[in-house]
Amino acid sequence: MNDPDNPLARLAAIGLSVPAAPGPVAAYEPWQRIGNLVTTSFQLPWIEGKLAYVGRLGEALGVEEGYMAAHTCALNGIAQLMAAADGNLDRVRILRIEGHVGCVEGFAEIPQVLNGGSHLINAIFGDRGRHARTALGHLVMPLNAPVMLGFWAEIVD
Amino acid sequence: MNDPDNPLARLAAIGLSVPAAPGPVAAYEPWQRIGNLVTTSFQLPWIEGKLAYVGRLGEALGVEEGYMAAHTCALNGIAQLMAAADGNLDRVRILRIEGHVGCVEGFAEIPQVLNGGSHLINAIFGDRGRHARTALGHLVMPLNAPVMLGFWAEIVD
Amino acid sequence: MNDPDNPLARLAAIGLSVPAAPGPVAAYEPWQRIGNLVTTSFQLPWIEGKLAYVGRLGEALGVEEGYMAAHTCALNGIAQLMAAADGNLDRVRILRIEGHVGCVEGFAEIPQVLNGGSHLINAIFGDRGRHARTALGHLVMPLNAPVMLGFWAEIVD
């Protein structure tokens, strides 16, 4: 914790802390682990139990709001991965982020929206945050969420 | 097989058995394995070689039918995982279910539809069925299927 | 390299070579690896830095063009996997291809389009190319790409 380069210190340095890990909205678990490999359910932009962003990009929300929604999803993902790593974020290495954006037809800025999640992960985890990413847009999203992010990570011994 | 808590016994207790594992509809395999990790292709609601449900939620099908379509996809997924586990479902632990629902814009019950798969998996596998889940809606689906489910699972030694 | 059955020889036999591995279009990496498991970011139909195919199936493009777009995505995926395997394609075994097709509502040939990727992978990798596959259609795609393919592969020791 005295290491200024650890993920919690980096979060604190930009005024953030790890939120409570959001629970699922249906009959499933927030994450599962096989050996050192962790996969999460999709993370939505929950803040204290409420969806902080609702609606589609290119319609209800602009790119800046979408970027912040992705940032919020990523913060919730960090909470899940911390739980999967027995509370120790120093052991987490991000492998893959699956990015999904709710948007209208013709919306052209899916990568820019998802960067809101990738930038946070890169800033907080440093080399261990370097991730592959998948990106898709959808006209319909569960709970009308503007962004959802799924994570695959390694728990480093 | 005399253990009332094993997956086959639980299936039998609710009047179900494992169907023949459906083949793929194109140039691919139904599942692959690396070490103890298994991934499946998307499972459709096939019953004896025919799609038992066709069309989109919120249009051709209601939520109850979608729920049963997801249940059928999950039963086919169980068949694939049993094949991947050399016929022994007792060795299967579910890690992640990827849920995809064909629906119209504004359809609000994607999680409820996918619960048709999650409830079956939870009932049949018990603790080993506790899975992460991803959920998406789509205006267009291969073969106009209302639901597709992908599985990631562990083969437990 | 003198083995006529290795992937590079098979590529050469059909007049192809491995392109330079395309870089990402945003704040992420083209692939990541945990142990012997590799996951890639979605591959687009880039040829020498330009999207060789743009627009949706059933509208801007026909099935043959979509098939070739999937073929091109797969060639770029091979480039990423070769990089992940320290330049040695002989060590690559394909596990899963995630196929995404940009299309209009009602488009019925998603599997046929994705076969453009699967056929190449099967031809080049032989038994090690036998892959699970997921298939989805989307009304909106990043960069208006007609096809994107994600790969999961094993690096064989």
Side-chain angles (χ1 to χ4, degrees), chain A residues 29 32-33 56 98, chain B residues 93 96 105 130-131 133:
Chain A
E29 308 293 322
Q32 277 295 349
R33 181 171 165 179
R56 302 193 292 190
E98 298 161 334
Chain B
R93 185 170 77 94
R96 182 193 230 209
E105 290 193 59
R130 298 174 60 154
H131 55 279
R133 193 173 88 185

Side-chain angles (χ1 to χ4, degrees), chain C residues 89-141:
Chain C
L89 272 186
D90 295 352
R91 295 184 57 205
V92 173
R93 185 169 78 92
I94 311 295
L95 296 170
R96 182 192 232 211
I97 299 180
E98 298 161 335
H100 297 275
V101 174
C103 61
V104 296
E105 290 194 61
F107 182 71
E109 285 137 321
I110 293 169
Q112 289 85 338
V113 166
L114 294 177
N115 278 349
S118 291
H119 286 162
L120 179 65
I121 294 297
N122 290 336
I124 297 311
F125 290 96
D127 271 354
R128 287 194 172 169
R130 297 174 60 153
H131 55 279
R133 193 173 87 185
T134 64
L136 288 165
H138 304 275
L139 273 69
V140 54
M141 291 272 278

Side-chain angles (χ1 to χ4, degrees), chain C residues 47-95:
Chain C
I47 295 182
E48 296 180 2
K50 288 186 185 170
L51 273 187
Y53 303 88
V54 178
R56 302 192 292 189
L57 273 294
E59 190 179 63
L61 300 179
V63 172
E64 286 302 311
E65 292 166 298
Y67 181 97
M68 286 310 300
H71 170 102
T72 304
C73 294
L75 203 54
N76 288 325
I78 291 170
Q80 304 295 2
L81 296 171
M82 190 162 89
D86 300 320
N88 188 351
L89 272 186
D90 295 352
R91 295 184 57 205
V92 173
R93 185 169 78 92
I94 311 295
L95 296 170

Side-chain angles (χ1 to χ4, degrees), chain C residues 139-153:
Chain C
L139 273 69
V140 54
M141 291 272 278
L143 307 188
N144 202 16
V147 184
M148 299 193 298
L149 299 181
F151 293 83
W152 292 82

Side-chain angles (χ1 to χ4, degrees), chain B residues 60-92:
Chain B
L61 300 179
V63 172
E64 287 301 311
E65 291 166 298
Y67 181 97
M68 286 310 301
H71 170 102
T72 303
C73 294
L75 203 53
N76 289 325
I78 291 170
Q80 305 294 2
L81 296 172
M82 192 164 87
D86 300 319
N88 189 351
L89 272 185
D90 295 353
R91 295 183 58 204
V92 172

